[in-house]
């Protein structure tokens, strides 16, 4: 079974998410979009038919989205089969969050690593 197939996104807390995103836009050229984050598309001269994106986004410092992790960041990992991977992680004794979100954006699940960091697992919709 395939497990992680790539990085779907990198998210981190900020005291002022809009100002920090603007700093990254101005000084590092991060293509921040209206929704407040950036989507790095995989298509390139080396991969002209590539599909998919890696998201980058700031979150408010008081967000509860990363809980129960105390870390100021969360990595979103792309996976091939979310339900199968979560079942395997449970069988291996991992701390899997007992929640799955499914929407037009794909399927999302979470696991807490041994150091308390929350990792988001994302099965994108077909073709993304």
């Amino acid at each position: 079974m395939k497990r992680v197939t790539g990085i779907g996104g990198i998210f981190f807390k900020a005291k002022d998410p809009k100002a920090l995103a603007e700093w990254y836009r101005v000084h590092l050229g991060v293509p921040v979009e209206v929704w407040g984050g950036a989507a790095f598309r995989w298509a390139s001269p080396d991969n002209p038919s590539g599909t998919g994106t890696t998201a980058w986004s700031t979150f408010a410092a008081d967000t509860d989205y990363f809980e129960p992790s105390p870390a100021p960041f969360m990595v979103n990992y792309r996976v091939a089969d979310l339900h199968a991977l979560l079942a395997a992680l449970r069988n291996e004794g991992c701390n899997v969050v007992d929640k799955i979100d499914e929407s037009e954006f794909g399927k999302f699940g979470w696991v807490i690593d041994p150091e308390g960091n929350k990792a988001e697992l994302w099965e994108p919709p077909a073709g993304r």
Side-chain angles (χ1 to χ4, degrees):
M1 168 184 65
K2 282 188 177 182
R3 294 196 180 218
V4 169
T5 62
I7 302 292
I10 300 170
F11 313 120
F12 56 97
K13 295 179 181 181
K15 293 174 189 165
D16 186 341
K18 288 181 182 180
L20 188 59
E22 180 65 6
W23 184 92
Y24 275 89
R25 187 191 68 74
V26 169
H27 298 287
L28 297 183
V30 172
V32 177
E33 298 181 21
V34 174
W35 55 270
F40 293 96
R41 285 155 184 82
W42 294 359
S44 69
D46 295 331
N47 183 22
S49 63
T51 59
T53 58
T54 298
W56 174 97
S57 188
T58 56
F59 281 72
D62 62 353
T63 184
D64 62 359
Y65 192 65
F66 301 177
E67 289 182 3
S69 173
F73 67 90
M74 184 174 65
V75 178
N76 169 292
Y77 295 95
R78 293 173 64 100
V79 302
D81 184 339
L82 178 67
H83 291 284
L85 178 54
L86 292 175
L89 293 171
R90 282 187 188 94
N91 288 337
E92 294 164 0
C94 296
N95 182 1
V96 176
V97 175
D98 191 27
K99 177 183 176 184
I100 294 175
D101 284 344
E102 296 190 29
S103 72
E104 69 272 15
F105 302 111
K107 300 173 187 173
F108 298 85
W110 298 267
V111 63
I112 309 299
D113 74 19
E115 294 197 3
N117 300 305
K118 185 177 182 183
E120 186 168 66
L121 306 174
W122 172 51
E123 181 182 335
R128 288 193 51 202

